[in-house]
């Protein structure tokens, strides 16, 4: 099923010096787009390329990519470059290096990155998921959080499952010094658990849901309040210099959200195809653990959740500037400009 995609007019972004020439008003080398039309009648965008990620933990990105929503909005004048993110940590690496303009992370991972100097802001919320839990093998003797003392646990640092683990340990009266954390990418964490090289794994859907069905792995601890929202982040350079493209991305996300909510079975089928998982597993992820019916406008709800994560971040030692850096990041991470226009028409 296709989406009826609305065309949008790019916002004015005047940066640098504009030069008038005989043929008209031509932007200088570092200038950005205006909302005027060229002599051919086509809309001018501020760049001829847009780099954006897609991820199996971000179902809306799969819908946008599969249905060509961004390509339809931008037309032939902008080439959309899609890059897959294997986890929030990888998306943050792509954003920091400039390999993507827009990337998908968990809220906790975005806060960590900004606190450590990565100039990113959240421009849209793509989900409010329960995508992480503490997982053990089918024959494990570990049944309670207290049983994790002395255990080897796989987790991907800089991602929501890692911060879920830190909070879960505290809930069980433990700390990082009581366990051995193996820093493995999500899929490798599952493989390590199934291979017996770790005792537990801080899992991430859809890999975690597949592990339940295919390997009989058990979720011994779940807590939806320990999961942070799905953040769609952009670099400040992109936001400042290419607001027209940022608006196009957020508009595409809101169109994809509407379609996904109306077509949950098709969304699950798409996730199953891209992630290479069973359709029943994908259905569980979409219908039971991915709350896509959430406002795309970032704001107080997300900040409130991150405020709970902040002390954990500080105590983990993963933020170079400590509490001051985390507080500064909290106060500046949200940019609701584009989502308000897309959702409320402001």
């Amino acid at each position: 099923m296709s989406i009826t995609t609305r065309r949008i007019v790019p916002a004015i972004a005047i940066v640098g010096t504009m030069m008038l020439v005989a043929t008209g008003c031509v932007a200088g080398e570092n200038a950005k787009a205006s909302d005027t039309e060229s002599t051919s009648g086509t809309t001018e965008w501020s760049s001829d390329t847009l780099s954006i990620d897609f991820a199996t933990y971000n179902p809306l990105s799969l819908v946008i990519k599969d249905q060509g929503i961004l390509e339809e909005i931008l037309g032939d004048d902008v080439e959309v470059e899609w890059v897959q993110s294997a986890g929030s940590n990888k998306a943050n690496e792509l954003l920091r290096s400039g390999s993507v303009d827009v990337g998908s992370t968990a809220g906790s991972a975005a806060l960590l990155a900004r606190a450590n100097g990565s100039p990113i802001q959240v421009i849209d919320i793509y989900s409010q998921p329960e995508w992480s839990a503490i997982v053990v093998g089918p024959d494990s003797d570990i049944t309670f959080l207290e049983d994790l003392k002395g255990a080897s646990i796989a987790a991907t640092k800089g991602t929501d499952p890692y911060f879920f683990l830190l909070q879960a340990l505290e809930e069980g009266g433990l700390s990082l010094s009581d366990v051995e954390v193996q820093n493995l990418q999500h899929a490798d964490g599952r493989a390590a658990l199934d291979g017996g090289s770790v005792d537990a794994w801080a899992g991430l859907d859809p890999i975690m849901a597949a592990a339940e069905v295919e390997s009989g792995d058990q979720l011994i601890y779940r807590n939806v309040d320990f999961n942070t929202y799905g953040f769609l982040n952009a670099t400040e350079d992109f936001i400042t210099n290419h607001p027209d493209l940022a608006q196009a991305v957020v508009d595409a996300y809101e169109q994809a959200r509407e379609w996904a909510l109306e077509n949950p079975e098709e969304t699950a089928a798409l996730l199953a195809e891209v992630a290479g998982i069973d359709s029943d597993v994908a259905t569980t992820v979409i219908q039971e653990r991915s709350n896509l019916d959430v406002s795309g406008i970032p704001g107080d709800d997300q900040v409130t959740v991150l405020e709970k994560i902040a002390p954990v971040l500080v105590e983990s030692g993963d933020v170079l500037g400590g509490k001051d850096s985390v507080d500064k990041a909290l106060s500046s991470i949200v940019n609701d400009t584009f989502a308000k226009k897309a959702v409320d028409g402001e």
Side-chain angles (χ1 to χ4, degrees), residues 45-56:
W45 298 93
S46 60
S47 175
D48 58 7
T49 60
L50 168 65
S51 297
I52 186 170
D53 82 339
F54 69 99
T56 57

Side-chain angles (χ1 to χ4, degrees), residues 6-328:
R6 66 183 184 276
R7 289 278 181 175
I8 64 173
V9 179
I12 299 174
I14 303 174
V15 179
T17 303
M18 302 299 289
M19 300 176 62
L20 292 176
V21 297
T23 57
C25 186
V26 179
E29 201 173 73
N30 295 316
K32 310 307 167 193
S34 74
D35 60 354
T36 60
E37 291 188 348
S38 68
T39 55
S40 64
T42 58
T43 300
E44 293 183 15
W45 298 93
S46 60
S47 175
D48 58 7
T49 60
L50 168 65
S51 297
I52 186 170
D53 82 339
F54 69 99
T56 57
Y57 55 84
N58 177 358
L60 297 187
S61 70
L62 307 184
V63 173
I64 294 169
K65 182 176 184 293
D66 181 68
Q67 299 196 8
I69 301 175
L70 262 176
E71 288 82 355
E72 177 65 22
I73 291 175
L74 298 172
D76 297 332
D77 294 332
V78 181
E79 178 185 358
V80 180
E81 301 173 346
W82 289 97
V83 181
Q84 184 167 12
S85 291
S88 293
N89 61 323
K90 296 300 181 183
N92 275 326
E93 289 174 10
L94 292 169
L95 285 162
R96 184 183 285 273
S97 67
S99 298
V100 297
D101 303 308
V102 183
S104 320
T105 75
S108 57
L111 179 62
L112 173 64
R114 186 165 179 86
N116 277 325
S118 182
I120 61 171
Q121 290 184 309
V122 52
I123 59 174
D124 194 68
I125 301 299
Y126 60 82
S127 67
Q128 185 188 15
E130 184 193 3
W131 52 18
S132 187
I134 304 300
V135 189
V136 299
D139 300 320
S140 176
D141 293 331
I142 298 174
T143 55
F144 302 102
L145 290 176
E146 293 81 357
D147 299 333
L148 290 171
K149 187 171 184 178
S152 175
I153 306 173
T156 309
K157 286 191 174 182
T159 69
D160 232 27
Y162 177 70
F163 297 114
F164 184 95
L165 171 63
L166 297 185
Q167 294 174 92
L169 289 174
E170 183 178 8
E171 185 75 8
L174 304 175
S175 67
L176 276 176
S177 62
D178 294 313
V179 299
E180 176 191 353
V181 175
Q182 292 197 25
N183 184 23
L184 299 172
Q185 202 60 46
H186 302 298
D188 296 330
R190 178 196 169 179
L193 178 64
D194 290 347
S197 58
V198 296
D199 303 307
W201 166 47
L204 178 73
D205 275 337
I207 303 169
M208 182 173 69
E212 288 183 272
V213 173
E214 298 167 358
S215 305
D217 292 340
Q218 304 293 315
L219 276 54
I220 64 160
Y221 185 73
R222 298 171 64 177
N223 189 331
V224 67
D225 293 334
F226 285 179
N227 293 262
T228 59
Y229 287 77
F231 276 31
L232 186 69
N233 308 305
T235 62
E236 290 182 345
D237 176 78
F238 179 73
I239 291 170
T240 300
N241 296 325
H242 306 288
D244 55 341
L245 296 182
Q247 190 64 61
V249 169
V250 176
D251 283 358
Y253 262 84
E254 291 311 312
Q255 292 179 50
R257 189 193 316 278
E258 182 179 350
W259 185 88
L261 291 174
E262 293 176 353
N263 300 275
E265 293 180 359
E266 291 88 341
T267 304
L270 178 59
L271 174 61
E273 177 185 355
V274 177
I277 58 178
D278 184 82
S279 59
D280 289 341
V281 173
T283 298
T284 297
V285 172
I286 294 298
Q287 297 191 7
E288 297 181 19
R289 297 183 187 170
S290 296
N291 178 17
L292 303 178
D293 192 12
V294 61
S295 173
I297 304 173
D300 292 342
D301 288 345
Q302 289 72 43
V303 171
T304 297
V305 171
L306 292 182
E307 286 174 343
K308 298 178 182 178
I309 299 291
V312 179
L313 277 179
V314 174
E315 293 172 11
S316 71
D318 292 328
V319 179
L320 298 179
K323 186 177 185 301
D324 289 344
S325 293
V326 172
D327 289 344
K328 184 176 180 180

